[in-house]
Amino acid sequence: MSVETPVMQQAPSVLIVDDEPQVVWMLQFSLEAEGYRTYSARDGRLALAELRERKPDVVLLDIMMPIMDGWSVLEEMRFLPGQRPRVVVLSARSSMRDRAKAAELGADHFMAKPFSMDDLLSLLAQLSP
């Protein structure tokens, strides 16, 4: 008689890329309360390092950041080895041109700031493995 052990599925991971500490804190607090594992980066260069090291399931990406902006992160993500995480752009820049550029560069979804946490959680539930 064999007993099957249930496989413990690891919580989905989210990399939060934003230069505003209060936005990062709010997102980490809310997502961790829902069971997500979170990581953060305050600029694009740090985000790329985190992407290589952590290999998150989803990236929440701001566009306007110092050192390297979100557009450059999206462009560089094309060259990362392995499976690319899902990307949600969270930005105050929300014109149709910005939305089209995000999609063209490979973002899976775009949410304008300010956004509803309930809407974001619903979207993450759809995007997470």
Side-chain angles (χ1 to χ4, degrees):
M1 177 159 88
S2 69
V3 176
E4 289 189 32
T5 310
V7 176
M8 296 298 286
Q9 188 173 19
Q10 200 169 28
S13 60
V14 179
L15 173 60
I16 301 162
V17 185
D18 200 303
D19 62 321
E20 296 180 38
Q22 55 279 41
V23 172
V24 173
W25 181 86
M26 183 265 306
L27 286 168
Q28 283 186 305
F29 180 83
S30 299
L31 295 177
E32 288 173 5
E34 294 294 321
Y36 290 92
R37 292 176 295 133
T38 65
Y39 311 105
S40 65
R42 67 179 179 272
D43 65 57
R45 280 196 307 208
L46 293 172
L48 291 172
E50 287 289 317
L51 281 163
R52 288 182 186 97
E53 181 180 337
R54 309 259 188 208
K55 299 184 181 8
D57 299 308
V58 178
V59 177
L60 301 180
L61 180 64
D62 188 23
I63 295 301
M64 297 181 292
M65 295 181 293
I67 302 173
M68 176 186 263
D69 66 15
W71 301 132
S72 299
V73 172
L74 283 169
E75 288 173 0
E76 290 296 319
M77 284 180 69
R78 294 177 176 184
F79 304 107
L80 292 176
Q83 184 174 347
R84 186 183 71 79
R86 308 298 296 271
V87 178
V88 177
V89 171
L90 298 177
S91 181
R93 292 184 60 159
S94 60
S95 70
M96 290 308 292
R97 174 176 273 155
D98 291 318
R99 291 171 183 268
K101 184 173 182 177
E104 178 183 310
L105 292 173
D108 297 286
H109 198 76
F110 192 107
M111 291 187 92
K113 288 181 180 178
F115 54 87
S116 156
M117 185 55 71
D118 287 338
D119 290 346
L120 179 60
L121 289 170
S122 177
L123 177 62
L124 285 176
Q126 295 170 17
L127 296 178
S128 299

